[in-house]
Amino acid sequence: MIRSMKREDRFSCPFRWTVAVWVWTLLGSGVLAWGGIVLMRIDGTLGWVVWSKYAVLLILLVSLVGVAGYMPLRLRADGERMAVGRLFGALKIPLSEVEEARMIPKSYLDGTIRTFGSGGMCGYFGRFRNKRLGSFTMYATNLTHLVWVRTRQGRRYVFGCGRRTEEFFAFVQTRLEK
C-alpha cells in the first residue's frame, strides 16, 4: 500500500559542503591519487615488492570507496523516522526510539576524538567521542548548525547539514511531541 504524503509531512535537505570540507576532500583525494601513481611507478623484480605494491593500492582504493560510500548525502525525516542518505544505504532511526533531540553549539565538539571515520574528507562522519557527549555517531558537513539525538537504547547521533538543520530539528520536535 502506497501512502501519499503531503510536503509538510516530510523533511529533506542535502548535506551542503562547507569550504573546509571541499579543501579536505580535494587534499585527501589528491594524496590518495598521488600515492597510487607513485606506487604504480615502482618497478620491483622481487615478488614481495610487487605484492606489497598491490596490497597498498588495494588499501587506497578501499579507503576511497569507503569514504564515498558512507559520506552523508541527504538528511530526511517523516512522521515515522529520520534518515541519513548514503550510497551504501541509509541510516534509519525510528522516531519512536528517539528519547531526546536538541540543538547544540559547535563548542560541544571541543576535544572530540575520531575513533573511526572521516574527519573532513567528504564530511565529518563515523564514530567520535568526547567528555561532554560521550561516544556518538556523527554525520555532518557543516559544524555550525548541529542536532544531537539520543535513542532509548542509548545511541547518540549528531547531525549537521547547514542552515536547514534548525528546520530539521523543529520538524522532528513536532513529531516527537505527538
Side-chain angles (χ1 to χ4, degrees):
M1 173 186 219
I2 298 176
R3 228 176 65 198
S4 66
M5 293 186 112
K6 297 177 190 168
R7 188 171 182 86
E8 58 270 1
D9 291 339
R10 61 183 176 209
F11 175 88
S12 181
C13 172
F15 280 90
R16 302 267 185 221
W17 287 11
T18 60
V19 172
V21 170
W22 276 107
V23 168
W24 282 116
T25 301
L26 292 173
L27 282 173
S29 299
V31 167
L32 288 173
W34 178 79
I37 290 168
V38 167
L39 284 171
M40 289 305 295
R41 296 184 54 89
I42 292 175
D43 191 24
T45 55
L46 298 173
W48 68 270
V49 172
V50 174
W51 287 110
S52 298
K53 173 174 83 171
Y54 288 116
V56 172
L57 281 172
L58 181 64
I59 290 168
L60 291 176
L61 182 62
V62 168
S63 298
L64 191 58
V65 170
V67 166
Y70 286 103
M71 73 178 175
L73 300 173
R74 184 164 288 276
L75 186 58
R76 293 186 176 103
D78 59 29
E80 298 174 7
R81 71 183 62 85
M82 61 178 76
V84 175
R86 309 174 297 191
L87 291 176
F88 289 167
L91 167 72
K92 297 176 183 174
I93 305 167
L95 290 179
S96 61
E97 292 182 14
V98 174
E99 187 170 69
E100 182 182 3
R102 60 183 156 131
M103 294 293 298
I104 60 170
K106 183 180 179 181
S107 63
Y108 275 44
L109 297 179
D110 290 350
T112 296
I113 297 170
R114 180 183 61 232
T115 56
F116 184 78
S118 174
M121 186 171 172
C122 296
Y124 307 91
F125 55 93
R127 298 290 300 160
F128 298 81
R129 69 179 170 85
N130 67 23
K131 289 183 180 182
R132 176 173 265 158
L133 300 175
S135 181
F136 60 95
T137 300
M138 180 162 57
Y139 287 94
T141 53
N142 186 325
L143 299 178
T144 57
H145 305 277
L146 300 167
V147 173
W148 178 78
V149 174
R150 186 181 66 210
T151 65
R152 298 187 197 296
Q153 294 81 21
R155 294 187 186 108
R156 297 178 188 106
Y157 301 92
V158 173
F159 303 114
C161 62
R163 290 189 180 99
R164 292 201 58 205
T165 305
E166 286 108 356
E167 189 180 335
F168 168 76
F169 173 69
F171 181 90
V172 169
Q173 278 299 105
T174 57
R175 298 321 180 268
L176 291 175
E177 291 169 359
K178 288 184 177 182

